[in-house]
């Protein structure tokens, strides 16, 4: 019996030793789990920070794109303004030429007819009413009215 008791004590000591080893392994694994959880939390924080940086980068890229589009639109508008200014200058020059030609013809008619012209303002236009009484009477033509844009 003492043999069996000794055998049981030996087995019990072996089981206690195994239990201590398993407990030490469990404690070691628990500490590794804690370290891994901390690393996971840090990795998640870094991932969130990277996501925030990526969102900010996309917003900056969108803002730069919008700015570039606005700059392009401004350049197009500036070019349109330049073209309109050129067109206005051309039209003003043509207007001056037409005014000069009208005045030259008026003076020529006055010289030929001996009858002064009469200017009347009508709804934003200057109507040059030329009396060609003698010429019209001899040519049997209707009265001519010339409208010039002011």
């Amino acid at each position: 019996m003492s043999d069996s008791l000794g055998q049981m004590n030996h087995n019990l000591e072996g089981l206690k030793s195994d239990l201590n080893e398993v407990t030490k392994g469990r404690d070691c694994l628990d500490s590794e789990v804690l370290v891994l959880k901390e690393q996971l939390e840090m990795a998640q924080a870094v991932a969130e920070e990277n996501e925030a940086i990526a969102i900010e980068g996309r917003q900056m890229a969108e803002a730069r794109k919008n700015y570039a589009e606005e700059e392009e639109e401004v350049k197009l508008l500036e070019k349109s303004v330049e073209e309109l200014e050129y067109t206005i200058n051309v039209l003003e020059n043509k207007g001056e030429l037409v005014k000069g030609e009208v005045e030259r013809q008026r003076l020529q008619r006055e010289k030929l007819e001996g009858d002064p012209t009469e200017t009347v303002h009508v709804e934003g236009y200057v109507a040059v009413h030329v009396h060609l009484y003698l010429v019209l009477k001899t040519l049997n033509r209707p009265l001519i009215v010339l409208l010039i844009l002011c």
Side-chain angles (χ1 to χ4, degrees), residues 46-132:
V46 168
E48 288 174 2
E49 185 178 331
N50 286 342
E51 180 64 24
I53 290 170
I55 289 171
E56 185 179 341
R58 283 191 293 271
Q59 290 172 342
M60 288 177 66
E62 185 66 27
R64 287 182 180 161
K65 178 184 169 193
N66 290 338
Y67 179 76
E69 288 172 354
E70 289 171 1
E71 283 292 316
E72 186 65 27
E73 187 175 340
V74 166
K75 287 178 184 176
L76 288 173
L77 290 173
E78 286 174 347
K79 185 173 180 171
S80 293
V81 166
E82 289 173 3
E83 290 173 355
L84 286 173
E85 287 174 346
Y86 174 78
T87 302
I88 288 170
N89 286 336
V90 167
L91 290 174
E92 285 176 345
N93 289 339
K94 286 185 179 182
E96 290 299 319
L97 290 173
V98 168
K99 284 181 184 178
E101 182 63 21
V102 166
E103 181 63 20
R104 186 188 66 74
Q105 288 181 10
R106 182 189 66 81
L107 291 173
Q108 186 177 14
R109 276 195 287 285
E110 282 180 1
K111 184 178 179 183
L112 290 173
E113 299 168 3
D115 194 10
T117 62
E118 183 180 317
T119 302
V120 180
H121 292 279
V122 178
E123 297 178 18
Y125 292 95
V126 175
V128 178
H129 183 145
V130 179
H131 295 279
L132 300 174

